Amino acid sequence: FDSREKTGATSCSILKGRDKTFFSIGTINDNTLSASGSTCEEDELYIAFPMENPNGCNGRCYQIQYYLSTSAQTLDRCNPNTATLVRKIRTGRPVLHCVADWKVILEGLNSSINGTTNNQEIGNNLKNVKVYILVQKGKKDSNYTFNGNTTIDGITLNLPENYQHYRWKIIKLVISPKNL
């Protein structure tokens, strides 16, 4: 905890440091963190973001989720093996249709940062957040066969099944966090 955090929170969202994914919803009791039903690896870094209410926003949200959904509104022109990138605060809203894969890289956080890392250390070390999204471009074209590359900056994005007759584009976003 540091002075910017609300220390009265009893729940938290836990980010797994190595692959930068949300790991679990946990609880905080006397500054002790636990993740029910999840096992933490000793050589892994976990970052916990306190939340006052993990079951709902009650008008104030502390968690924003981005995820791929196959049940969200999709377009008829999309490859049936793609999904919709959804941004969720309270209810999910489509951000981008026809997404085959995506990856998020937190640049500057590495294995030299240990489990005692605090927010100040994360703020000092996190340089960029890089987001890579593989998205379908246009509709199916039976006269076209995709033979491109889906690797960028050493990151490989996976094509869906039956990808051959669609055009694919990689969207790269680089966000430089400020005032962490």
Side-chain angles (χ1 to χ4, degrees):
F1 294 102
D2 72 19
S3 61
R4 295 173 297 168
E5 293 177 348
K6 190 162 193 147
T7 58
T10 58
S11 299
C12 60
S13 181
I14 304 170
L15 177 71
K16 188 173 181 182
R18 185 169 295 136
D19 60 9
K20 318 309 187 268
T21 58
F22 279 97
F23 176 70
S24 180
I25 299 295
T27 58
I28 304 169
N29 187 5
D30 293 328
N31 290 339
T32 300
L33 176 69
S34 63
S36 174
S38 301
T39 304
C40 295
E41 301 167 29
E42 286 199 24
D43 64 341
E44 181 64 76
L45 166 69
Y46 297 90
I47 304 166
F49 296 94
M51 300 185 301
E52 287 188 11
N53 182 0
N55 299 317
C57 289
N58 294 338
R60 295 171 51 196
C61 289
Y62 297 95
Q63 182 179 23
I64 300 172
Q65 294 178 333
Y66 288 89
Y67 59 92
L68 292 181
S69 172
T70 54
S71 62
Q73 175 188 357
T74 57
L75 303 176
D76 290 339
R77 67 177 174 84
C78 292
N79 175 309
N81 300 302
T82 60
T84 298
L85 181 63
V86 175
R87 180 177 192 250
K88 182 180 178 186
I89 303 177
R90 291 186 204 94
T91 60
R93 297 194 183 249
V95 174
L96 187 61
H97 295 286
C98 308
V99 176
D101 193 14
W102 75 312
K103 296 209 174 26
V104 178
I105 305 298
L106 301 179
E107 198 173 58
L109 297 183
N110 57 43
S111 59
S112 66
I113 297 176
N114 61 37
T116 61
T117 302
N118 61 34
N119 284 344
Q120 186 63 42
E121 288 174 288
I122 292 167
N124 291 340
N125 289 293
L126 182 61
K127 303 301 179 207
N128 291 309
V129 177
K130 292 184 177 180
V131 181
Y132 301 91
I133 306 169
L134 179 61
V135 64
Q136 176 186 319
K137 183 179 173 184
K139 61 183 182 177
K140 184 175 183 176
D141 181 352
S142 298
N143 296 319
Y144 172 80
T145 301
F146 179 79
N147 61 0
N149 187 350
T150 60
T151 299
I152 182 172
D153 298 340
I155 305 297
T156 300
L157 298 165
N158 299 313
L159 287 161
E161 289 183 39
N162 302 317
Y163 68 90
Q164 295 85 351
H165 298 295
Y166 295 88
R167 288 173 172 78
W168 299 97
K169 176 182 179 178
I170 296 175
I171 299 171
K172 177 182 174 182
L173 305 171
V174 180
I175 300 104
S176 297
K178 305 291 183 201
N179 299 323
L180 291 180

